[in-house]
């Protein structure tokens, strides 16, 4: 069989092919990095915009940086199977781990300075399928889409006088979140907060029926209302100390409430609450059994990416989960590469 020619013409052809591949790869990198379209919102831009004026704190999450780990179980009561075939909804005890946190890029922020509290959660079903979610205590998100969130993050660095007033005027959807953020009735414990998905997801049940759903973990603990001034008097890291002591004394519980959209409810905009009276299903109870430090704790190396979903739950037309997934991956890559500063127990940090 004749071999392909290896003369000068074929060498040129090979070089041209290699050059074309390199150009294509460079173009792909440039596109991904946003160099070809400087106005495009990229994960890097979002993560950079989260940084406080003094710069990001190495080794820590680029947002919700202050937090503490826990382990426990999700006790499913079987009711959720009406909406989703995810095995996590089948009656039984499914291992859970997570992280209570504050919505700040500063791991040293005082508790009383941060209104938004969060819960990162991972539930693993018997078939090994993992469901990750990161939720906050606010009833709605401040803005309608990731571009508006980027604009909001850039307000503090703006040189415009009254930049925040200008932002609010241009984004009327901010008002419900703004009213909630200003309300002085905070709670005195991570255990007393509700944690809301805000983003809508599509649930598919065993018959193939599909519904848009938002979920909330509602606390079974009675809320002790407190003003931020009184919370400040209890200490800058009171919440972590309080939840550690509370869980050591008794496991803490939240009911998982699934809320089903009706036709026309906004699924692509977490700044808009769904009307009262929507069908809800109580699908089970999250039981937090053990608090562990973040340093070397089970939640430290987890990225609570809201697109990590089991079969039976998938993303909807809500643009946030995809944007969040990309930004969380960027943050995860940065913090896990900053080994020197990565939260470690002091004995290991000295090695
Ligand atoms: C485009 C919008 C958003 C951006 C850019 C963003 C960005 C981030 C980043 C970079 C992290 C740190 C991730 C890591 O290093 O593991 C984070 C954590 C978190 N975010 Fe978001 N976020 C967005 C929207 C939301 C929304 C809508 C919610 C709640 C409904 C939320 C709740 C949380 C929570 C609870 C955590 C902490 C999770 C943990 O403990 O690891 N975020 N966010």
């Amino acid at each position: 069989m004749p071999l392909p020619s290896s003369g000068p013409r074929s060498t040129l052809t090979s070089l041209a092919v290699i050059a074309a591949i390199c150009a294509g790869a460079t173009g792909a990198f440039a596109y991904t990095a946003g160099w070809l379209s400087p106005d495009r919102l990229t994960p890097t831009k979002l993560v950079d915009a989260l940084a406080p004026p003094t710069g990001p704190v190495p080794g820590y999450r680029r947002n919700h940086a202050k937090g503490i780990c826990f382990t426990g179980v999700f006790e499913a009561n079987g009711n959720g199977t009406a909406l989703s075939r995810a095995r996590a909804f089948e009656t039984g005890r499914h291992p859970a781990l997570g992280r209570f946190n504050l919505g700040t890029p500063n791991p040293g922020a005082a508790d009383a300075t941060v209104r938004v509290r969060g819960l990162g959660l991972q539930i693993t079903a018997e078939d090994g399928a993992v469901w990750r979610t990161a939720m906050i205590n606010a009833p709605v998100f401040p803005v309608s889409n990731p571009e508006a969130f980027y604009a909001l993050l850039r307000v503090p660095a703006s040189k415009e006088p009254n930049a925040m007033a200008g932002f609010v005027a241009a984004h009327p959807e901010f008002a419900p979140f703004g009213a909630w953020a200003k309300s002085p009735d905070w709670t005195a414990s991570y255990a007393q907060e509700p944690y809301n998905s805000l983003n809508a997801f599509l649930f598919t049940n065993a018959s193939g029926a599909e519904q848009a759903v938002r979920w909330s973990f509602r606390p079974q603990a009675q809320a002790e209302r407190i003003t931020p001034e009184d919370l400040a008097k209890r200490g800058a890291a009171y919440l972590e100390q309080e939840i550690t002591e509370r869980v050591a004394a008794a496991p803490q519980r939240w009911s998982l409430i699934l809320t089903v959209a009706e036709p026309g409810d906004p699924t692509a905009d977490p700044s808009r609450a769904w009307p009262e009276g929507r069908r809800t299903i109580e699908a089970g109870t999250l039981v937090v059994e053990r608090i562990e430090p973040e340093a070397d704790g089970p939640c430290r190396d987890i990225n609570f990416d809201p697109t990590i979903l089991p079969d039976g739950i998938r993303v909807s037309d809500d643009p946030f989960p995809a944007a969040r997934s990309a930004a969380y991956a960027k943050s995860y890559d940065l913090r896990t590469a900053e080994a020197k500063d990565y939260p470690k127990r002091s004995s290991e940090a000295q090695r």
Side-chain angles (χ1 to χ4, degrees):
M1 204 190 339
L3 288 171
S5 147
S6 57
R9 185 173 296 171
S10 82
T11 307
L12 276 179
T13 310
S14 309
L15 286 174
V17 169
I18 291 167
I21 290 171
C22 290
T26 309
F29 277 121
Y31 175 78
T32 311
W35 300 337
L36 299 179
S37 44
D39 294 337
R40 195 163 67 88
L41 185 55
T42 63
T44 303
K45 282 186 183 174
L46 275 168
V47 168
D48 286 351
L50 281 163
T54 46
V57 181
Y60 285 83
R61 284 163 166 84
R62 288 333 198 227
N63 200 12
H64 296 257
K66 184 176 185 181
I68 191 163
C69 301
F70 67 80
T71 52
V73 289
F74 174 62
E75 297 176 344
N77 58 20
N79 295 342
T81 57
L83 294 176
S84 169
R85 63 182 176 230
R87 297 279 292 274
F89 291 118
E90 287 177 11
T91 309
R93 288 166 55 84
H94 310 288
L97 80 79
R99 181 171 176 270
F100 295 108
N101 53 69
L102 294 184
T104 167
N106 175 6
D111 296 346
T113 62
V114 187
R115 184 69 180 100
V116 172
R117 297 176 186 166
L119 178 73
L121 180 64
Q122 166 174 290
I123 297 172
T124 307
E126 230 168 55
D127 59 354
V130 166
W131 175 17
R132 289 194 189 152
T133 169
M135 301 158 283
I136 56 173
N137 57 345
V140 283
F141 202 63
V143 288
S144 306
N145 53 58
E147 288 73 18
F149 188 55
Y150 179 60
L152 175 60
L153 294 175
R154 285 170 24 117
V155 166
S158 167
K159 296 202 171 56
E160 295 286 313
N162 304 321
M164 191 58 201
F167 178 87
V168 171
H171 294 88
E173 80 266 28
F174 184 83
F177 176 88
W180 171 82
K182 269 198 228 137
S183 71
D185 53 341
W186 297 31
T187 72
S189 174
Y190 276 126
Q192 298 164 358
E193 293 288 346
Y195 298 101
N196 307 306
S197 75
L198 303 185
N199 297 132
F201 293 82
L202 297 176
F203 278 38
T204 311
N205 68 13
S207 321
E210 197 161 75
Q211 307 266 13
V213 168
R214 287 175 175 168
W215 61 78
S216 295
F217 283 84
R218 294 203 189 137
Q220 294 184 8
Q222 192 69 32
E224 179 199 346
R225 298 288 165 191
I226 190 169
T227 62
E229 293 73 27
D230 284 341
L231 184 62
K233 290 182 197 145
R234 296 192 184 184
Y238 171 76
L239 291 175
E240 293 189 1
Q241 178 203 327
E242 195 276 346
I243 193 72
T244 305
E245 289 167 7
R246 182 184 279 264
V247 172
Q252 297 298 305
R253 295 183 157 77
W254 285 257
S255 307
L256 171 57
I257 308 296
L258 307 174
T259 302
V260 183
E262 285 191 8
D265 286 347
T267 52
D269 182 350
S271 72
R272 292 172 63 198
W274 290 347
E276 288 295 318
R278 291 290 174 262
R279 180 160 78 106
T280 58
I281 286 184
E282 185 175 336
T285 307
L286 170 66
V287 187
V288 170
E289 296 174 322
R290 196 181 144 90
I291 297 292
E292 299 199 35
E294 180 171 47
D296 284 337
C299 70
R300 185 197 63 179
D301 298 348
I302 302 233
N303 169 358
F304 292 99
D305 175 338
T307 65
I308 298 187
L309 299 164
D311 177 48
I313 308 180
R314 64 188 183 91
V315 292
S316 66
D317 56 352
D318 188 325
F320 275 94
R324 293 175 66 187
S325 178
Y328 290 23
K330 177 80 195 167
S331 169
Y332 183 85
D333 284 352
L334 290 166
R335 64 186 171 90
T336 52
E338 292 158 348
K340 186 171 70 61
D341 303 292
Y342 206 35
K344 288 187 222 57
R345 281 181 214 262
S346 48
S347 55
E348 184 169 320
Q350 282 155 14
R351 260 182 234 158

